[in-house]
Amino acid sequence: MSFSSDEVNFLVYRYLQESGFTHSAFVFGAESLIAQSNINGALVPPCALTSIIQKGLMYVEAEISTGEDGTERLIDTLSLIDAVMPDVVTSRKQVDSSGKAPIKAEPGSSLDSPSAPSAVEGGGVGGAGGGDPMDVDSAIEIPVEKSTVLKGHDSEVFICAWNPKQDLLASGSGDSTARIWNLNQGGDATVEVLKHCIKMEGKEVPSNKDVTSLDWNCHGDLLATGSYDGYARIWSTTGKLEKTLGQHKGPIFALKWNKTGNFILSAGVDRTTIIWDAATGNCKQQFAFHSAPALDVDWKSEESFASCSTDKQIHVCQLNQDRPIKSFQGHTNEVNAIKWDPQGKFLASCSDDMTLKVWTMDRDNCVHDLQAHQKEIYTIKWSPTGPGTNNPNMNLVLASASFDSTVRLWDVERGTCVHTLTRHKEPVYSVAFSPDGKFLASGSFDKCVHIWSTQSGQLIHSYKGTGGIFEVCWNSRGDKVGASASDGTVFVLDLRK
């Protein structure tokens, strides 16, 4: 038996990514030179580290439970920490061989952490199979026949997004591909595989880097993707690579089209944000105002945007301006996501400091400092409601998703929490409003997608998949929800009656 430090480092790096510690994964990957290793990440299955640790734990338990004469005896389960302490293992062997009852392992010492699902755990589609049954009303649970599971990715699927004009679902994965799944026709979905390659010695080879972000343009004819290989790319709906955008020095964390579709905005670990000309693929302007990796960007108008970073800062920038037109300080830890409301009046931000803040351009301090979550807030979304939207008679609502396993809905005018949605059991990574604003979908690492009424806060539908949910999204008609998961699956829930 032999293994290298490169192999151990890669498994730790992948574990950090799968657990949602994106920034820690990047820093660890940079310091341990993951990019220079010869390991093909696409061949490494999800949850590899936890799987091999489980096997090691089982081996230690087998050692303890097997007597010197070869007979087996019943023992209590070991905690992972106990298993790596020689004194504990020795004493357990002695206690067990004396015939006395073994010491009980501490409660809560199982291997499975909230963000690291066991690689050997069962779990059937829709709660059937080996997974734990959901404790929801059977009338609420979405039946298996209303779900379509799309298999093909070889690694976790971090993101998915519906085309705004037709039922094409894009997904991006750790297997260095994006895929476009065509669900326009009844029956089986067809798929285009978008391989992210780089040039090495004059040849096109797979980048072996995660696809971290993707976004459709408003016309639905082009898909932009961002990758850990440092390139943004523009693809047609048929999977043809149209443009490669190269200017970032390191992974791209976020990328967005503007409303008219002439510019793309990206944020990178190189601390910069870039506006790209989509027609030419050229960099229009690079903004280097952050002192640490830029994590998210969002357009305010056709030529202005906000960016946030691990440096705790938020900057509002304008094309052809060489300084930010506004900067916001107030968060005490890295800012994970920012979103402008539909009118571009309120800017919401969420952070590892467990707060959600709302800002306006006419004030230096935040309008609201919303403190209710008990752990980091991973993402936020505005409802498509209120003045200037297709649903002008409904109130504007802000949704926040946290590692405390809850989703909260906020009335931003009043600065109050309207509903706390508490049915998830593990960190919530994604929320999405239906186009009419009446429903909210949420996805968690408990493998469940829940669909809630935004008016009452009641749980309307639930579905349990086979892996932790990274992303949920609604199609433009509001009758299908797409989701992507840690076990490489993508699935579509048909909500039509």
Side-chain angles (χ1 to χ4, degrees):
M1 179 183 72
S2 69
F3 56 86
S4 67
S5 59
D6 276 355
E7 291 170 321
V8 175
N9 289 342
F10 184 84
L11 293 182
V12 172
Y13 167 74
R14 180 59 70 80
Y15 169 79
L16 289 170
Q17 281 188 320
E18 291 170 345
S19 301
F21 304 126
T22 314
H23 323 315
S24 301
F26 171 76
V27 173
F28 180 77
E31 289 186 346
S32 58
L33 304 177
I34 290 292
Q36 295 178 23
S37 74
N38 294 318
I39 298 165
N40 185 349
L43 301 179
V44 179
C47 308
L49 181 62
T50 51
S51 177
I52 201 72
I53 288 172
Q54 274 187 319
K55 288 173 183 172
L57 193 57
M58 289 163 66
Y59 179 84
V60 175
E61 286 183 347
E63 263 193 324
I64 295 171
S65 65
T66 306
E68 290 179 6
D69 57 357
T71 58
E72 280 193 50
R73 51 183 184 271
L74 289 173
I75 66 159
D76 225 349
T77 55
L78 269 181
S79 76
L80 182 58
I81 296 301
D82 283 348
V84 298
M85 297 171 70
D87 291 348
V88 174
V89 173
T90 303
S91 65
R92 285 287 291 272
K93 280 181 178 176
Q94 291 167 349
V95 170
D96 290 334
S97 62
S98 69
K100 294 175 186 171
I103 302 163
K104 192 86 172 138
E106 285 183 34
S109 59
S110 78
L111 177 68
D112 292 335
S113 70
S115 48
S118 159
V120 297
E121 190 173 355
V125 175
D132 299 327
M134 286 189 294
D135 58 347
V136 296
D137 189 318
S138 59
I140 291 172
E141 191 172 339
I142 294 171
V144 176
E145 59 269 20
K146 287 284 194 177
S147 68
T148 304
V149 180
L150 307 170
K151 294 184 176 177
H153 281 297
D154 297 324
S155 187
E156 57 275 272
V157 188
F158 299 115
I159 37 166
C160 58
W162 286 101
N163 184 295
K165 301 296 184 185
Q166 53 179 320
D167 274 355
L168 299 177
L169 181 65
S171 57
S173 168
D175 64 7
S176 76
T177 73
R179 288 166 198 248
I180 299 175
W181 309 88
N182 188 334
L183 294 107
N184 284 312
Q185 311 301 325
D188 293 339
T190 57
V191 65
E192 300 290 342
V193 180
L194 283 46
K195 293 180 180 175
H196 287 56
C197 296
I198 53 173
K199 279 200 169 71
M200 283 185 72
E201 299 173 358
K203 294 180 183 175
E204 293 278 320
V205 297
S207 71
N208 293 334
K209 303 290 184 183
D210 303 347
V211 178
T212 56
S213 45
L214 47 78
D215 194 33
W216 291 98
N217 70 347
C218 58
H219 309 296
D221 58 348
L222 294 173
L223 176 72
T225 61
S227 168
Y228 248 70
D229 66 13
Y231 290 95
R233 295 170 174 84
I234 302 174
W235 312 78
S236 71
T237 53
T238 59
K240 179 174 178 282
L241 179 62
E242 301 286 348
K243 295 277 186 307
T244 300
L245 317 178
Q247 180 90 5
H248 280 294
K249 292 180 168 53
I252 293 171
F253 283 148
L255 148 151
K256 304 263 174 69
W257 291 88
N258 66 351
K259 277 199 177 70
T260 53
N262 59 326
F263 293 144
I264 294 171
L265 176 61
S266 60
V269 79
D270 60 6
R271 310 176 185 181
T272 73
T273 53
I274 296 177
I275 292 180
W276 305 87
D277 184 324
T280 63
N282 295 330
C283 167
K284 287 284 289 182
Q285 188 173 350
Q286 188 164 18
F287 304 83
F289 305 138
H290 287 293
S291 60
L295 299 181
D296 198 18
V297 283
D298 198 39
W299 290 99
K300 181 180 191 296
S301 66
E302 293 303 297
E303 297 187 350
S304 65
F305 67 92
S307 62
C308 66
S309 163
T310 61
D311 67 7
K312 312 171 194 171
Q313 308 293 309
I314 299 166
H315 296 307
V316 183
C317 301
Q318 174 85 35
L319 185 64
N320 300 323
Q321 298 286 321
D322 59 5
R323 297 300 308 157
I325 57 175
K326 189 82 176 175
S327 293
F328 298 116
Q329 289 96 28
H331 282 294
T332 58
N333 208 327
E334 55 192 61
V335 185
N336 293 319
I338 45 169
K339 295 285 183 297
W340 290 100
D341 81 324
Q343 285 194 296
K345 175 186 175 186
F346 294 116
L347 177 67
S349 60
C350 66
S351 166
D352 279 1
D353 66 12
M354 302 186 284
T355 73
L356 179 66
K357 299 186 195 297
V358 180
W359 316 81
T360 57
M361 291 295 285
D362 57 357
R363 289 180 56 168
D364 291 335
N365 297 323
C366 61
V367 181
H368 297 297
D369 185 3
L370 306 173
Q371 303 185 27
H373 283 293
Q374 304 301 306
K375 287 188 179 177
E376 298 93 330
I377 306 173
Y378 190 73
T379 193
I380 44 177
K381 290 282 170 63
W382 291 98
S383 61
T385 54
T389 71
N390 292 331
N391 312 293
N393 298 322
M394 295 171 66
N395 290 336
L396 179 64
V397 176
L398 180 63
S400 56
S402 169
F403 283 5
D404 67 8
S405 307
T406 70
V407 174
R408 288 178 178 267
L409 297 179
W410 305 86
D411 179 327
V412 177
E413 295 291 347
R414 294 199 188 107
T416 57
C417 181
V418 183
H419 297 296
T420 305
L421 313 178
T422 60
R423 299 297 281 271
H424 285 298
K425 294 182 171 61
E426 292 190 13
V428 185
Y429 279 88
S430 182
V431 285
F433 283 95
S434 61
D436 61 8
K438 292 179 180 177
F439 302 101
L440 181 82
S442 60
S444 161
F445 241 62
D446 63 8
K447 306 180 184 175
C448 293
V449 172
H450 291 330
I451 295 168
W452 316 80
S453 163
T454 55
Q455 296 291 316
S456 67
Q458 293 296 114
L459 184 62
I460 306 296
H461 297 296
S462 273
Y463 177 88
K464 187 161 188 178
T466 52
I469 311 297
F470 279 120
E471 187 89 76
V472 290
C473 55
W474 294 81
N475 68 348
S476 58
R477 289 190 309 279
D479 58 15
K480 289 177 185 171
V481 169
S484 61
S486 63
D487 66 345
T489 57
V490 179
F491 57 87
V492 176
L493 305 176
D494 189 338
L495 302 179
R496 292 174 294 185
K497 299 286 188 213

